[in-house]
Amino acid sequence: QRQLDKCPSSYPHKFCFDICGELPGDIGTFDVTFSKMLAEHVESGERLYRNLYNLLNPDGICLNHHPTLFAVPFVINKLVPHAIAKQLVHLVFPTRKRNDSVFPAHYSWCTGLESVELPRRRKIGFSEVGVIHQYKHRYWRPFPINREVFGLMHKISRGLRLNLFSSFSVYYGVKN
């Protein structure tokens, strides 16, 4: 709701609801659904994608940009209890303390493995599914040695298309 409150009052349509819950009956459908850094925080990736599919008009496109689980910072985030992970993020990135931007992460349907994730989206009904992998992130910036080591690892992974080690992915699909 805090983000919606930043929209101009003249903006005609604003909805606040749980994307993994029941969809509001009056929300309508759209040509595009887009999320950035959301999918890793929902408990059910399947429910997320089902709801996004239901929000689309025919031939509408769904785009989701999120971290992929097997990048080292995200593995740590998954394994460390949320309260500790939040303290670590605030220690390393103090500006994130101001807007309380650290949320529990579940990484449901966020593996980056095309052989696993694309069939899941097809099963929901999406066609023309695909993924764009990204291999860099800013989490090692404060740590020069880690930044260089993992920067080299990401460069090699990108060159060899080792999608397991991508840092982020943008999944897309078109509603039939």
Side-chain angles (χ1 to χ4, degrees), residues 86-98:
K86 187 173 184 172
Q87 289 176 357
L88 288 171
V89 169
H90 288 166
L91 178 68
V92 177
F93 303 101
T95 57
R96 293 193 58 190
K97 200 176 212 176
R98 280 182 277 167

Side-chain angles (χ1 to χ4, degrees), residues 31-153:
D31 292 326
V32 176
T33 60
F34 173 79
S35 73
K36 182 176 181 184
M37 306 303 280
L38 165 76
E40 72 275 18
H41 297 291
V42 302
E43 291 184 22
S44 173
E46 180 179 7
R47 185 64 189 247
L48 168 70
Y49 276 92
R50 284 193 188 285
N51 278 347
L52 291 171
Y53 182 86
N54 290 330
L55 286 170
L56 286 171
N57 291 321
D59 296 323
I61 188 165
C62 173
L63 299 161
N64 277 321
H65 177 266
H66 58 76
T68 51
L69 177 58
F70 301 114
V72 174
F74 308 129
V75 170
I76 293 168
N77 191 29
K78 174 78 172 161
L79 296 176
V80 172
H82 175 65
I84 295 170
K86 187 173 184 172
Q87 289 176 357
L88 288 171
V89 169
H90 288 166
L91 178 68
V92 177
F93 303 101
T95 57
R96 293 193 58 190
K97 200 176 212 176
R98 280 182 277 167
N99 61 6
D100 194 27
S101 65
V102 182
F103 306 100
H106 304 283
Y107 297 97
S108 177
W109 288 34
C110 293
T111 65
L113 297 172
E114 293 177 36
S115 61
V116 173
E117 301 299 343
L118 296 181
R120 288 175 168 173
R121 286 144 179 89
R122 282 188 196 101
K123 187 175 179 184
I124 287 174
F126 286 104
S127 63
E128 301 177 45
V129 295
V131 61
I132 301 164
H133 297 284
Q134 299 169 308
Y135 291 88
K136 287 188 177 183
H137 54 75
R138 61 185 171 92
Y139 294 100
W140 296 130
R141 219 179 276 166
F143 309 101
I145 293 172
N146 289 7
R147 183 180 62 231
E148 296 304 315
V149 168
F150 284 98
L152 178 60
M153 185 184 96

Side-chain angles (χ1 to χ4, degrees), residues 112-115 118 130-135 153-166 172:
L113 297 172
E114 293 177 36
S115 61
L118 296 181
V131 61
I132 301 164
H133 297 284
Q134 299 169 308
Y135 291 88
M153 185 184 96
H154 287 157
K155 186 176 182 178
I156 292 168
S157 296
R158 184 177 58 245
L160 296 174
R161 295 187 49 84
L162 299 175
N163 300 333
L164 179 67
F165 300 112
S166 63
Y172 58 90

